[in-house]
Amino acid sequence: MKRSKLVVANWKMHLNVHQASLLVNRLDKKIAIYRDVEVVLAPNFICLQPISMELDKRKFRLASQDGYFVDEGSYTGAISFSQLRELVHYSIIGHSERRRYFNESLDVVRDKVAAAVRNNITPILCVGETREERNQKETKQVLHDQIVSALSNLTSEDVENLVIGYEPVWAIGGKEPAKPDTIAQAVSWLRYQIGELYGEKVAKSVRIIYGGSDEPEYVNGIMAIEGVDGLLVGHASLNYVQFADIIERVHHSRVIGNEE
Ligand code: PEP
């Protein structure tokens, strides 16, 4: 199956409704419609509804940054995937900041992934090792455990349609992404694991994107890596000039998804 290019803007806990709307407006003027690049914006929960009303849906899709794994009930403060299903195509799940600051365990991530799929929302499952785990040579084991656990309640068909974000925790929020060799090894290991669990066809269909200090100048190098289908962009996505530059570079990058 041919994969398509994907760029996701993770706005994290930045921007109020007014600021988010202004950014969408500027992006809209600056970004052309590229049929080969899907552009997804992930604002905070309160911005989703107003932004969905003004978004040019030929150019952008929406993602939530999280969601709760129970569909409905007495869970004060939570927002479920069943409440998000009319608003978003995607949900970022298992981001390292959620795992770290909100104590999200492997089991919680697994249940959130299943809840998103159950509600017809495509998970963007984030996985990645910490600096310490890399130094201890535990990267492969960590990625293996995160993938096996998160996907354990899904069918092959569910997994085929999934997006995986490889985000080495140590590369997030910095000035430079991980080196191309490092990204290539992790991405090929993730595809190998998925192949072992769900078969070759699924491993070739699942989209894997890279996140961690994706500045425009690094895009060509990252997009040249075999198996990388796009980018998950944090701080650079808050600057419309930089983000538009990233999209354009992704558009001009290699044709993906035909690798044998
Ligand atoms: C992220 O946290 O998803 C991310 C990629 O952040 P940044 O681009 O700021 O490193």
Side-chain angles (χ1 to χ4, degrees):
M1 188 200 255
K2 199 166 177 305
R3 306 190 302 269
S4 56
K5 294 176 186 173
L6 175 68
V7 181
V8 182
N10 179 9
W11 291 349
K12 308 194 183 194
M13 201 179 68
H14 296 290
L15 311 179
N16 59 29
V17 174
H18 176 68
Q19 292 164 329
S21 163
L22 206 63
L23 181 53
V24 169
N25 203 273
R26 287 178 165 155
L27 285 173
D28 191 42
K29 292 202 176 99
K30 191 97 184 143
I31 296 175
I33 299 178
Y34 296 121
R35 289 177 57 190
D36 63 329
V37 188
E38 191 181 346
V39 182
V40 175
L41 308 177
N44 62 52
F45 282 130
I46 57 164
C47 293
L48 281 172
Q49 175 75 37
I51 283 183
S52 78
M53 314 276 279
E54 59 188 82
L55 206 67
D56 182 343
K57 297 192 171 58
R58 296 167 306 164
K59 270 189 202 172
F60 305 107
R61 285 184 157 170
L62 284 177
S64 68
Q65 298 174 16
D66 187 33
Y68 195 55
F69 53 80
V70 178
D71 284 346
E72 199 198 328
S74 302
Y75 299 94
T76 303
I79 294 179
S80 71
F81 292 103
S82 77
Q83 292 168 318
L84 291 164
R85 61 183 294 160
E86 310 300 336
L87 277 177
V88 302
H89 273 86
Y90 294 94
S91 278
I92 298 173
I93 300 177
H95 192 282
S96 58
E97 288 155 11
R98 302 265 349 145
R99 296 184 197 251
R100 179 173 174 199
Y101 300 120
F102 301 92
N103 301 316
E104 280 191 10
S105 64
L106 291 174
D107 288 357
V108 166
V109 172
R110 175 200 63 206
D111 291 348
K112 289 187 171 187
V113 167
V117 169
R118 176 167 82 233
N119 284 290
N120 283 327
I121 295 172
T122 303
I124 300 168
L125 168 68
C126 296
V127 296
E129 78 287 1
T130 61
R131 167 79 64 200
E132 198 189 343
E133 287 161 346
R134 172 154 289 272
N135 291 343
Q136 299 293 323
K137 305 212 177 321
E138 291 169 0
T139 301
K140 282 185 163 182
Q141 188 62 49
V142 169
L143 295 180
H144 168 272
D145 293 350
Q146 289 177 341
I147 284 287
V148 171
S149 163
L151 307 186
S152 58
N153 286 340
L154 303 188
T155 65
S156 312
E157 206 189 353
D158 298 332
V159 177
E160 199 169 324
N161 295 317
L162 197 80
V163 178
I164 294 174
Y166 170 57
E167 296 211 308
V169 181
W170 47 272
I172 291 178
K175 288 203 171 66
E176 246 186 76
K179 298 274 180 264
D181 267 8
T182 308
I183 301 173
Q185 276 168 20
V187 168
S188 107
W189 174 247
L190 288 167
R191 277 199 203 282
Y192 171 76
Q193 287 305 321
I194 290 169
E196 289 287 290
L197 291 164
Y198 299 96
E200 188 87 346
K201 180 170 168 277
V202 177
K204 281 188 177 158
S205 300
V206 70
R207 282 177 293 173
I208 304 186
I209 60 179
Y210 167 80
S213 305
D214 290 322
E215 308 275 339
E217 65 193 282
Y218 299 109
V219 170
N220 299 353
I222 297 171
M223 288 306 295
I225 301 167
E226 190 176 316
V228 173
D229 302 319
L231 304 169
L232 181 44
V233 187
H235 60 270
S237 71
L238 294 165
N239 176 318
Y240 73 100
V241 177
Q242 282 199 348
F243 191 60
D245 191 1
I246 288 173
I247 305 290
E248 199 174 329
R249 286 169 192 256
V250 170
H251 165 62
H252 289 297
S253 65
R254 82 190 202 289
V255 176
I256 58 166
N258 295 323
E259 294 117 3
E260 284 308 310

